[in-house]
C-alpha cells in the first residue's frame, strides 16, 4: 500500500484593512481552495471552501482565492 502525503500551502495577504489567508491542499486530483477573511483584531468574518473546483497548481488557486476575497470585501462594504 502506497502512503500518499497531502501537501498544503498558505498564502497571506492584506486588502482594505482585512487579513486574507488562502490555504491550498494538494489532493490526488488537484488543489483544493479555502479562504479566511478577518478584519484586523476581530473574529473571522468569512470562511469559504471552494468545493466545486480543483486547481492545477497553487498559483492558480492563489489567484482564484484573491479574486474571491476582493469581491467579497468590496461587496460587503456597500
Amino acid at each position: 500500500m502506497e502512503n500518499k502525503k497531502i501537501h498544503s500551502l498558505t498564502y497571506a495577504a492584506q486588502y482594505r484593512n482585512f487579513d486574507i489567508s488562502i490555504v491550498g491542499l494538494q489532493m490526488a486530483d488537484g488543489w483544493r481552495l479555502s479562504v479566511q477573511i478577518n478584519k484586523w483584531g476581530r473574529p473571522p468574518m468569512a470562511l469559504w471552501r471552494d468545493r466545486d473546483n480543483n486547481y492545477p497548481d497553487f498559483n492558480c488557486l492563489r489567484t482564484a482565492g484573491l479574486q474571491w476575497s476582493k469581491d467579497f470585501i468590496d461587496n460587503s462594504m456597500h
Side-chain angles (χ1 to χ4, degrees):
M1 184 167 143
E2 186 178 333
N3 184 10
K4 294 186 179 184
K5 292 183 180 181
I6 296 175
H7 298 280
S8 68
L9 291 174
T10 302
Y11 180 80
Q14 294 179 339
Y15 179 69
R16 290 190 172 192
N17 297 330
F18 291 87
D19 292 322
I20 302 167
S21 296
I22 297 171
V23 178
L25 291 175
Q26 186 179 28
M27 309 298 275
D29 58 347
W31 287 82
R32 303 298 295 210
L33 167 65
S34 67
V35 177
Q36 182 172 321
I37 298 175
N38 298 356
K39 185 130 182 165
W40 292 345
R42 295 189 180 170
M45 180 177 175
L47 177 62
W48 176 61
R49 289 188 177 93
D50 185 351
R51 292 186 169 102
D52 297 328
N53 298 300
N54 287 328
Y55 298 89
D57 57 42
F58 187 76
N59 288 333
C60 291
L61 176 139
R62 181 183 62 203
T63 300
L66 287 171
Q67 184 61 54
W68 182 88
S69 299
K70 180 187 178 304
D71 292 345
F72 178 87
I73 292 167
D74 289 346
N75 289 336
S76 70
M77 298 191 77
H78 294 288

Coordinates of all heavy atoms in Angstrom, one line a residue:
M1 N 0.8 -1.2 0.0 CA 0.0 0.0 0.0 C 0.9 1.2 0.0 O 1.8 1.4 0.8 CB -0.9 0.0 1.2 CG -1.9 1.1 1.3 SD -3.1 0.7 2.6 CE -3.3 2.3 3.2
E2 N 0.6 2.1 -0.9 CA 1.4 3.3 -1.0 C 0.9 4.4 -0.1 O -0.3 4.6 0.0 CB 1.3 3.9 -2.5 CG 2.2 5.0 -2.8 CD 2.1 5.5 -4.2 OE1 1.8 4.7 -5.1 OE2 2.3 6.7 -4.4
N3 N 1.8 5.1 0.6 CA 1.5 6.1 1.6 C 1.6 7.5 0.8 O 2.6 7.9 0.5 CB 2.4 6.1 2.7 CG 2.1 7.1 3.8 OD1 1.0 7.7 3.8 ND2 3.0 7.3 4.8
K4 N 0.4 8.1 0.6 CA 0.4 9.4 -0.1 C 0.2 10.5 0.9 O -0.7 10.4 1.7 CB -0.8 9.4 -1.1 CG -0.6 8.4 -2.3 CD -1.6 8.6 -3.3 CE -1.3 7.6 -4.4 NZ -2.3 7.8 -5.5
K5 N 1.1 11.4 0.8 CA 1.0 12.6 1.7 C 0.2 13.7 1.1 O 0.3 13.9 -0.1 CB 2.4 13.1 2.0 CG 3.3 12.2 2.8 CD 4.6 12.8 3.2 CE 5.4 11.8 4.0 NZ 6.7 12.4 4.4
I6 N -0.5 14.4 1.9 CA -1.3 15.6 1.5 C -0.4 16.8 1.8 O 0.0 16.9 2.9 CB -2.6 15.7 2.2 CG1 -3.5 14.5 1.8 CG2 -3.3 17.0 1.8 CD1 -4.8 14.5 2.5
H7 N -0.2 17.6 0.8 CA 0.6 18.8 1.0 C -0.3 20.0 1.0 O -1.3 20.0 0.4 CB 1.6 19.0 -0.2 CG 2.6 17.8 -0.3 ND1 3.7 17.8 0.5 CD2 2.6 16.8 -1.1 CE1 4.4 16.7 0.1 NE2 3.7 16.0 -0.8
S8 N 0.1 21.0 1.8 CA -0.6 22.2 1.9 C 0.3 23.4 1.8 O 1.5 23.3 2.2 CB -1.5 22.2 3.2 OG -0.6 22.4 4.3
L9 N -0.2 24.5 1.3 CA 0.5 25.8 1.3 C -0.5 26.8 1.7 O -1.7 26.7 1.5 CB 1.0 26.1 -0.2 CG 2.1 25.2 -0.7 CD1 2.4 25.5 -2.2 CD2 3.4 25.4 0.1
T10 N 0.1 27.9 2.3 CA -0.7 29.0 2.8 C -0.2 30.3 2.2 O 1.1 30.5 2.2 CB -0.8 29.1 4.3 OG1 -1.3 27.8 4.8 CG2 -1.6 30.2 4.8
Y11 N -1.0 31.2 1.8 CA -0.6 32.5 1.3 C -1.4 33.5 2.1 O -2.6 33.4 2.3 CB -1.0 32.6 -0.2 CG -0.6 33.9 -0.8 CD1 0.7 34.2 -1.1 CD2 -1.5 34.9 -1.0 CE1 1.1 35.4 -1.7 CE2 -1.2 36.2 -1.5 CZ 0.1 36.4 -1.9 OH 0.5 37.6 -2.4
A12 N -0.7 34.5 2.6 CA -1.3 35.6 3.4 C -1.2 36.9 2.6 O -0.2 37.2 2.0 CB -0.6 35.7 4.8
A13 N -2.3 37.7 2.7 CA -2.4 39.0 2.0 C -3.2 39.9 2.9 O -3.9 39.5 3.8 CB -3.0 38.8 0.6
Q14 N -3.1 41.2 2.5 CA -4.0 42.2 3.1 C -4.6 43.0 2.1 O -4.1 43.3 1.0 CB -3.2 43.1 4.0 CG -2.6 42.4 5.2 CD -1.8 43.4 6.1 OE1 -1.3 44.4 5.7 NE2 -1.6 43.0 7.3
Y15 N -5.9 43.4 2.3 CA -6.7 44.3 1.4 C -7.7 45.1 2.2 O -8.5 44.5 2.9 CB -7.4 43.4 0.3 CG -8.2 44.1 -0.7 CD1 -7.6 44.9 -1.6 CD2 -9.6 44.0 -0.6 CE1 -8.4 45.6 -2.5 CE2 -10.4 44.7 -1.6 CZ -9.7 45.5 -2.5 OH -10.5 46.2 -3.4
R16 N -7.6 46.4 2.1 CA -8.6 47.3 2.8 C -8.8 47.0 4.3 O -9.9 46.8 4.7 CB -9.9 47.2 2.1 CG -10.0 47.9 0.7 CD -11.4 48.0 0.3 NE -11.5 48.7 -0.9 CZ -12.6 49.2 -1.4 NH1 -13.7 48.9 -0.8 NH2 -12.6 49.9 -2.5
N17 N -7.7 46.9 5.0 CA -7.8 46.6 6.5 C -8.3 45.2 6.8 O -8.8 45.0 7.9 CB -8.6 47.6 7.2 CG -8.0 49.0 7.1 OD1 -6.7 49.1 7.0 ND2 -8.8 50.0 7.2
F18 N -8.2 44.3 5.9 CA -8.6 42.9 6.1 C -7.4 42.0 5.9 O -6.6 42.2 5.0 CB -9.7 42.5 5.1 CG -11.0 43.1 5.3 CD1 -11.3 44.3 4.7 CD2 -12.0 42.5 6.1 CE1 -12.5 45.0 4.9 CE2 -13.2 43.1 6.3 CZ -13.5 44.4 5.7
D19 N -7.3 41.0 6.7 CA -6.3 39.9 6.5 C -6.9 38.8 5.8 O -8.0 38.4 6.1 CB -5.8 39.4 7.9 CG -5.0 40.5 8.7 OD1 -4.2 41.2 8.0 OD2 -5.1 40.5 9.9
I20 N -6.2 38.3 4.8 CA -6.7 37.2 4.0 C -5.7 36.0 4.1 O -4.5 36.2 3.9 CB -6.8 37.6 2.5 CG1 -7.7 38.8 2.3 CG2 -7.2 36.5 1.6 CD1 -7.6 39.5 1.0
S21 N -6.3 34.9 4.4 CA -5.5 33.6 4.4 C -6.0 32.7 3.4 O -7.2 32.3 3.4 CB -5.6 33.0 5.8 OG -5.0 33.8 6.8
I22 N -5.2 32.3 2.4 CA -5.6 31.4 1.4 C -4.8 30.1 1.6 O -3.6 30.1 1.8 CB -5.2 32.0 0.0 CG1 -6.0 33.2 -0.2 CG2 -5.4 30.9 -1.1 CD1 -5.6 34.0 -1.4
V23 N -5.6 29.0 1.7 CA -5.0 27.7 2.0 C -5.3 26.8 0.9 O -6.4 26.7 0.4 CB -5.5 27.1 3.3 CG1 -4.9 25.7 3.6 CG2 -5.2 28.0 4.5
G24 N -4.2 26.1 0.4 CA -4.4 25.1 -0.7 C -4.0 23.8 -0.2 O -2.9 23.6 0.5
L25 N -4.8 22.8 -0.4 CA -4.5 21.4 -0.1 C -4.3 20.6 -1.4 O -5.2 20.6 -2.3 CB -5.6 20.7 0.7 CG -5.9 21.2 2.1 CD1 -7.1 20.5 2.7 CD2 -4.6 20.9 2.9
Q26 N -3.1 20.0 -1.6 CA -2.9 19.3 -2.8 C -3.4 17.8 -2.6 O -3.0 17.1 -1.8 CB -1.4 19.2 -3.1 CG -1.1 18.6 -4.4 CD 0.4 18.6 -4.7 OE1 1.2 18.5 -3.8 NE2 0.8 18.6 -6.0
M27 N -4.4 17.5 -3.4 CA -5.0 16.2 -3.4 C -4.6 15.4 -4.7 O -3.9 16.0 -5.5 CB -6.5 16.3 -3.4 CG -7.1 17.3 -2.3 SD -6.7 16.8 -0.7 CE -8.0 15.7 -0.4
A28 N -5.0 14.2 -4.8 CA -4.6 13.4 -5.9 C -5.1 14.0 -7.3 O -4.5 13.9 -8.3 CB -5.1 12.0 -5.8
D29 N -6.3 14.7 -7.2 CA -6.9 15.2 -8.4 C -6.7 16.7 -8.6 O -7.3 17.3 -9.5 CB -8.4 14.9 -8.4 CG -9.1 15.5 -7.2 OD1 -8.5 15.9 -6.3 OD2 -10.4 15.5 -7.3
G30 N -5.8 17.3 -7.8 CA -5.6 18.8 -8.0 C -5.6 19.5 -6.6 O -5.6 18.8 -5.6
W31 N -5.5 20.8 -6.7 CA -5.5 21.6 -5.4 C -6.9 22.0 -5.1 O -7.7 22.4 -5.9 CB -4.6 22.8 -5.7 CG -3.2 22.5 -5.7 CD1 -2.5 22.1 -6.8 CD2 -2.3 22.7 -4.7 NE1 -1.2 21.9 -6.5 CE2 -1.0 22.3 -5.2 CE3 -2.3 23.1 -3.3 CZ2 0.1 22.3 -4.4 CZ3 -1.2 23.1 -2.6 CH2 0.0 22.7 -3.1
R32 N -7.2 22.0 -3.8 CA -8.5 22.5 -3.2 C -8.2 23.8 -2.4 O -7.2 23.9 -1.7 CB -9.1 21.4 -2.3 CG -9.3 20.0 -2.9 CD -10.3 20.1 -4.0 NE -11.6 20.5 -3.5 CZ -12.7 20.1 -4.0 NH1 -12.7 19.3 -5.1 NH2 -13.9 20.5 -3.5
L33 N -9.2 24.7 -2.5 CA -9.1 26.0 -2.0 C -10.0 26.3 -0.8 O -11.1 25.9 -0.8 CB -9.4 27.0 -3.1 CG -9.6 28.5 -2.8 CD1 -8.3 29.1 -2.2 CD2 -10.1 29.3 -4.0
S34 N -9.4 27.0 0.2 CA -10.2 27.6 1.2 C -9.6 28.9 1.6 O -8.4 29.2 1.4 CB -10.3 26.7 2.5 OG -9.0 26.6 3.1
V35 N -10.5 29.9 1.9 CA -10.1 31.3 2.2 C -10.8 31.7 3.5 O -11.9 31.4 3.8 CB -10.7 32.2 1.1 CG1 -10.4 33.6 1.4 CG2 -10.1 31.8 -0.3
Q36 N -10.0 32.4 4.3 CA -10.5 33.0 5.5 C -10.2 34.5 5.5 O -9.1 34.9 5.2 CB -9.9 32.4 6.8 CG -10.4 32.9 8.1 CD -9.9 32.2 9.3 OE1 -9.8 31.0 9.3 NE2 -9.7 32.9 10.3
I37 N -11.2 35.3 5.8 CA -11.0 36.8 5.9 C -11.3 37.3 7.3 O -12.3 36.9 7.9 CB -12.0 37.4 4.9 CG1 -11.6 37.0 3.4 CG2 -11.9 39.0 5.0 CD1 -12.6 37.5 2.4
N38 N -10.4 38.1 7.8 CA -10.5 38.7 9.1 C -10.4 40.2 9.0 O -9.5 40.6 8.3 CB -9.5 38.2 10.1 CG -9.5 36.7 10.3 OD1 -10.4 36.0 9.9 ND2 -8.5 36.2 11.1
K39 N -11.2 40.9 9.7 CA -10.9 42.4 9.9 C -9.9 42.5 11.0 O -10.1 41.8 12.0 CB -12.2 43.1 10.2 CG -12.0 44.6 10.2 CD -13.0 45.3 9.4 CE -12.6 46.8 9.5 NZ -13.3 47.5 8.5
W40 N -9.0 43.3 10.9 CA -7.9 43.4 11.9 C -8.5 43.4 13.3 O -9.3 44.2 13.7 CB -7.1 44.6 11.7 CG -6.2 44.6 10.4 CD1 -6.0 43.4 9.7 CD2 -5.6 45.6 9.8 NE1 -5.2 43.8 8.6 CE2 -5.0 45.1 8.6 CE3 -5.5 47.0 10.0 CZ2 -4.3 45.9 7.8 CZ3 -4.8 47.8 9.1 CH2 -4.2 47.2 8.0
G41 N -8.0 42.5 14.2 CA -8.4 42.5 15.6 C -9.7 41.9 15.9 O -10.2 42.0 17.0
R42 N -10.4 41.3 14.9 CA -11.8 40.8 15.1 C -11.8 39.3 14.8 O -10.9 38.8 14.1 CB -12.8 41.6 14.3 CG -12.9 43.0 14.7 CD -14.0 43.7 14.0 NE -14.1 45.1 14.4 CZ -14.9 45.9 13.8 NH1 -15.7 45.6 12.8 NH2 -15.0 47.2 14.2
P43 N -12.9 38.6 15.2 CA -13.0 37.2 14.8 C -13.2 37.1 13.3 O -13.5 38.0 12.6 CB -14.3 36.8 15.5 CG -14.6 37.8 16.5 CD -13.9 39.1 16.1
P44 N -13.0 35.9 12.7 CA -13.1 35.7 11.3 C -14.4 36.2 10.8 O -15.5 35.9 11.4 CB -13.0 34.1 11.2 CG -12.2 33.7 12.3 CD -12.6 34.6 13.4
M45 N -14.4 36.9 9.7 CA -15.6 37.4 9.0 C -16.2 36.5 8.0 O -17.4 36.4 7.8 CB -15.1 38.7 8.4 CG -16.2 39.5 7.7 SD -15.5 41.0 7.1 CE -16.9 41.6 6.2
A46 N -15.3 35.8 7.3 CA -15.8 34.9 6.3 C -14.8 33.7 6.2 O -13.6 33.8 6.3 CB -15.9 35.6 4.9
L47 N -15.4 32.5 5.9 CA -14.7 31.3 5.6 C -15.3 30.7 4.4 O -16.6 30.5 4.4 CB -14.7 30.4 6.8 CG -13.9 29.0 6.6 CD1 -12.5 29.2 6.3 CD2 -14.1 28.2 7.8
W48 N -14.6 30.5 3.4 CA -15.1 29.9 2.1 C -14.3 28.7 1.7 O -13.1 28.8 1.7 CB -15.2 31.0 1.1 CG -15.6 30.4 -0.3 CD1 -16.8 29.9 -0.6 CD2 -14.9 30.5 -1.5 NE1 -16.9 29.6 -1.9 CE2 -15.7 29.9 -2.5 CE3 -13.6 30.9 -1.8 CZ2 -15.3 29.8 -3.8 CZ3 -13.2 30.8 -3.2 CH2 -14.1 30.2 -4.1
R49 N -14.9 27.6 1.4 CA -14.3 26.5 0.8 C -14.9 26.3 -0.6 O -16.1 26.1 -0.7 CB -14.5 25.3 1.6 CG -13.7 25.3 2.9 CD -13.8 24.0 3.7 NE -13.0 24.0 4.9 CZ -13.4 24.4 6.1 NH1 -14.7 24.7 6.2 NH2 -12.6 24.4 7.1
D50 N -14.0 26.3 -1.6 CA -14.4 26.0 -3.0 C -14.5 24.5 -3.2 O -13.5 23.9 -3.4 CB -13.5 26.7 -3.9 CG -13.9 26.6 -5.4 OD1 -14.9 25.9 -5.6 OD2 -13.3 27.2 -6.2
R51 N -15.7 24.0 -3.1 CA -15.9 22.6 -3.2 C -16.2 22.2 -4.7 O -16.4 21.0 -5.0 CB -17.1 22.1 -2.3 CG -16.7 22.2 -0.8 CD -17.8 21.6 0.1 NE -17.2 21.5 1.4 CZ -17.5 22.4 2.4 NH1 -18.3 23.4 2.2 NH2 -17.0 22.2 3.6
D52 N -16.3 23.2 -5.5 CA -16.7 22.9 -6.9 C -15.5 22.8 -7.9 O -15.7 22.2 -9.0 CB -17.7 24.0 -7.4 CG -19.0 24.0 -6.7 OD1 -19.4 23.0 -6.2 OD2 -19.5 25.1 -6.5
N53 N -14.4 23.3 -7.5 CA -13.3 23.4 -8.4 C -12.0 22.7 -7.9 O -11.8 22.7 -6.7 CB -12.9 24.8 -8.7 CG -14.1 25.5 -9.4 OD1 -14.5 25.1 -10.5 ND2 -14.6 26.6 -8.8
N54 N -11.3 22.1 -8.8 CA -9.9 21.7 -8.5 C -9.0 22.5 -9.3 O -9.2 22.8 -10.5 CB -9.7 20.2 -8.9 CG -10.4 19.3 -7.9 OD1 -10.5 19.5 -6.7 ND2 -10.9 18.1 -8.4
Y55 N -7.9 23.0 -8.7 CA -7.0 23.9 -9.4 C -5.7 23.1 -9.8 O -5.2 22.2 -9.0 CB -6.6 25.0 -8.5 CG -7.9 25.9 -8.2 CD1 -8.7 25.6 -7.1 CD2 -8.3 26.9 -9.1 CE1 -9.8 26.3 -6.9 CE2 -9.4 27.6 -8.8 CZ -10.2 27.3 -7.7 OH -11.3 28.0 -7.5
P56 N -5.1 23.4 -11.0 CA -4.0 22.6 -11.4 C -2.7 22.8 -10.6 O -1.8 22.0 -10.5 CB -3.8 23.0 -12.9 CG -4.4 24.3 -13.0 CD -5.5 24.3 -12.0
D57 N -2.6 24.0 -10.0 CA -1.4 24.3 -9.2 C -1.7 25.4 -8.2 O -2.8 26.0 -8.2 CB -0.2 24.8 -10.1 CG -0.5 26.0 -11.0 OD1 -1.2 26.9 -10.5 OD2 -0.1 25.9 -12.2
F58 N -0.8 25.7 -7.3 CA -1.1 26.6 -6.2 C -1.2 28.0 -6.7 O -2.0 28.8 -6.2 CB 0.0 26.5 -5.1 CG -0.3 27.4 -3.9 CD1 -1.2 27.0 -3.0 CD2 0.3 28.6 -3.7 CE1 -1.5 27.8 -1.9 CE2 0.0 29.4 -2.6 CZ -0.9 29.0 -1.7
N59 N -0.5 28.4 -7.8 CA -0.6 29.8 -8.3 C -2.0 30.1 -8.8 O -2.5 31.1 -8.6 CB 0.4 30.0 -9.4 CG 1.8 30.1 -8.9 OD1 2.0 30.5 -7.7 ND2 2.8 29.7 -9.7
C60 N -2.6 29.1 -9.5 CA -4.0 29.3 -10.0 C -5.0 29.4 -8.8 O -5.9 30.2 -8.8 CB -4.4 28.1 -10.9 SG -3.6 28.1 -12.5
L61 N -4.7 28.6 -7.8 CA -5.6 28.6 -6.6 C -5.5 29.9 -5.9 O -6.5 30.5 -5.5 CB -5.1 27.4 -5.7 CG -5.8 27.3 -4.3 CD1 -6.0 25.9 -4.0 CD2 -4.9 27.9 -3.3
R62 N -4.2 30.4 -5.7 CA -4.0 31.7 -5.1 C -4.7 32.8 -5.8 O -5.4 33.7 -5.2 CB -2.5 32.0 -5.0 CG -2.2 33.3 -4.2 CD -0.7 33.5 -4.2 NE -0.3 33.7 -5.6 CZ 1.0 33.5 -6.0 NH1 1.9 33.2 -5.1 NH2 1.3 33.7 -7.2
T63 N -4.6 32.8 -7.1 CA -5.3 33.9 -7.9 C -6.8 33.8 -7.7 O -7.5 34.9 -7.5 CB -4.9 33.7 -9.4 OG1 -3.5 33.8 -9.5 CG2 -5.6 34.8 -10.2
A64 N -7.4 32.6 -7.7 CA -8.8 32.5 -7.5 C -9.2 32.9 -6.1 O -10.2 33.6 -5.9 CB -9.3 31.1 -7.8
G65 N -8.4 32.6 -5.1 CA -8.7 33.0 -3.7 C -8.6 34.5 -3.5 O -9.4 35.1 -2.8
L66 N -7.6 35.1 -4.2 CA -7.5 36.6 -4.0 C -8.7 37.3 -4.7 O -9.2 38.3 -4.2 CB -6.2 37.0 -4.6 CG -4.9 36.7 -3.8 CD1 -3.7 37.0 -4.6 CD2 -5.0 37.5 -2.5
Q67 N -9.1 36.8 -5.9 CA -10.2 37.4 -6.6 C -11.5 37.3 -5.8 O -12.3 38.2 -5.7 CB -10.4 36.8 -8.0 CG -11.5 37.5 -8.8 CD -11.2 38.9 -9.1 OE1 -10.1 39.3 -9.6 NE2 -12.1 39.8 -8.7
W68 N -11.8 36.1 -5.2 CA -13.0 35.9 -4.4 C -12.9 36.8 -3.2 O -13.9 37.4 -2.9 CB -13.1 34.4 -4.0 CG -14.3 34.2 -3.2 CD1 -15.5 33.9 -3.7 CD2 -14.5 34.3 -1.8 NE1 -16.5 33.8 -2.6 CE2 -15.8 34.1 -1.5 CE3 -13.6 34.6 -0.7 CZ2 -16.3 34.1 -0.2 CZ3 -14.1 34.6 0.6 CH2 -15.4 34.4 0.8
S69 N -11.8 36.9 -2.6 CA -11.6 37.8 -1.4 C -11.9 39.2 -1.7 O -12.6 39.9 -1.0 CB -10.2 37.6 -0.8 OG -10.0 36.3 -0.4
K70 N -11.3 39.7 -2.8 CA -11.5 41.1 -3.2 C -13.0 41.4 -3.5 O -13.6 42.3 -3.0 CB -10.7 41.4 -4.4 CG -10.9 42.8 -4.9 CD -10.2 43.0 -6.3 CE -10.3 44.4 -6.8 NZ -11.7 44.9 -7.0
D71 N -13.6 40.5 -4.2 CA -15.1 40.6 -4.5 C -15.9 40.6 -3.2 O -16.8 41.4 -3.0 CB -15.6 39.5 -5.4 CG -15.0 39.6 -6.8 OD1 -14.4 40.7 -7.2 OD2 -15.1 38.7 -7.6
F72 N -15.6 39.7 -2.3 CA -16.3 39.6 -1.0 C -16.2 40.9 -0.2 O -17.2 41.4 0.3 CB -15.9 38.4 -0.2 CG -16.6 38.3 1.1 CD1 -17.8 37.6 1.2 CD2 -16.0 38.8 2.2 CE1 -18.4 37.5 2.4 CE2 -16.7 38.7 3.5 CZ -17.9 38.1 3.5
I73 N -15.0 41.3 -0.1 CA -14.7 42.5 0.7 C -15.4 43.8 0.1 O -16.0 44.5 0.7 CB -13.2 42.8 0.9 CG1 -12.6 41.7 1.8 CG2 -12.9 44.1 1.5 CD1 -11.1 41.6 1.8
D74 N -15.2 43.9 -1.2 CA -15.8 45.1 -1.9 C -17.3 45.1 -1.8 O -17.9 46.1 -1.6 CB -15.4 45.1 -3.4 CG -13.9 45.5 -3.6 OD1 -13.3 46.0 -2.6 OD2 -13.4 45.3 -4.7
N75 N -17.9 43.9 -1.9 CA -19.4 43.8 -1.8 C -19.9 44.0 -0.4 O -21.0 44.5 -0.2 CB -19.9 42.4 -2.4 CG -19.8 42.3 -3.9 OD1 -19.7 43.3 -4.6 ND2 -19.6 41.1 -4.4
S76 N -19.1 43.6 0.6 CA -19.5 43.8 2.0 C -19.4 45.2 2.5 O -20.0 45.6 3.5 CB -18.8 42.8 2.9 OG -17.4 43.3 3.0
M77 N -18.7 46.1 1.7 CA -18.5 47.4 2.1 C -19.6 48.4 1.6 O -19.6 49.6 1.9 CB -17.1 47.9 1.7 CG -16.1 47.1 2.4 SD -14.4 47.8 2.2 CE -14.5 49.1 3.4
H78 N -20.5 47.8 0.8 CA -21.6 48.7 0.3 C -22.8 48.6 1.2 O -23.1 47.8 1.9 CB -22.0 48.2 -1.1 CG -20.9 48.4 -2.1 ND1 -20.5 49.6 -2.6 CD2 -20.1 47.5 -2.7 CE1 -19.5 49.5 -3.4 NE2 -19.3 48.2 -3.5

